[in-house]
Amino acid sequence: QVQLVESGGGLVQAGGSLRLSCAASGRTFSIYTMAWFRQAPGQEREFVATIGGSGEGIYYADSVKGRFTISRVNAKNTVYLQMNSLKPEDTAVYYCAAVFAPSRLKLEVNEYDYWGQGTQVTVSS
């Protein structure tokens, strides 16, 4: 089993920046594709960004492309989401997710096996 713990959420003003971190347990972190999803109250959980085990296959949702950057440091068992030019519509609980060694692009909630507890991001106007 893989345990995921998010951190770095908080309250920021529109136009500001925030960096989220997701720390994973285990010794085979590089085998897993990682992703970030987010969920606002009353809304479905939606895809944000994904990154393959060695940093390949990076893909972003249109709503965040050009503003967010996903990265990982396998030696630290950690994936990051750098969020710049934040907008009020980015307000949500952000979750990291993992799945073992997929080769195809995975953008759906039901394609991921492991999830963190989430971290709240609030962007004020």
Side-chain angles (χ1 to χ4, degrees):
Q1 295 296 117
V2 177
Q3 306 299 124
L4 305 174
V5 180
E6 302 96 335
S7 62
L11 174 63
V12 298
Q13 293 189 160
S17 296
L18 206 59
R19 187 180 75 160
L20 305 184
S21 298
C22 176
S25 66
R27 300 182 298 170
T28 57
F29 180 68
S30 65
I31 299 299
Y32 290 83
T33 285
M34 302 295 296
W36 289 95
F37 289 77
R38 65 188 184 186
Q39 187 168 22
Q43 303 296 314
E44 294 293 313
R45 192 167 298 187
E46 66 174 356
F47 170 80
V48 175
T50 188
I51 185 169
S54 298
E56 78 283 5
I58 291 176
Y59 189 82
Y60 300 95
D62 288 343
S63 59
V64 307
K65 191 173 183 178
R67 299 188 298 121
F68 290 11
T69 302
I70 189 170
S71 62
R72 66 193 295 161
V73 179
N74 288 344
K76 296 184 177 181
N77 275 206
T78 302
V79 62
Y80 303 95
L81 185 69
Q82 178 67 47
M83 305 184 293
N84 299 325
S85 301
L86 283 161
K87 305 173 180 180
E89 50 263 47
D90 294 318
T91 295
V93 176
Y94 283 70
Y95 299 89
C96 65
V99 63
F100 179 67
S103 58
R104 73 179 189 280
L105 191 63
K106 294 190 173 184
L107 310 179
E108 303 295 331
V109 169
N110 62 13
E111 295 180 302
Y112 287 82
D113 296 322
Y114 306 101
W115 294 85
Q117 294 297 306
T119 185
Q120 177 71 49
V121 171
T122 302
V123 184
S124 65
S125 59

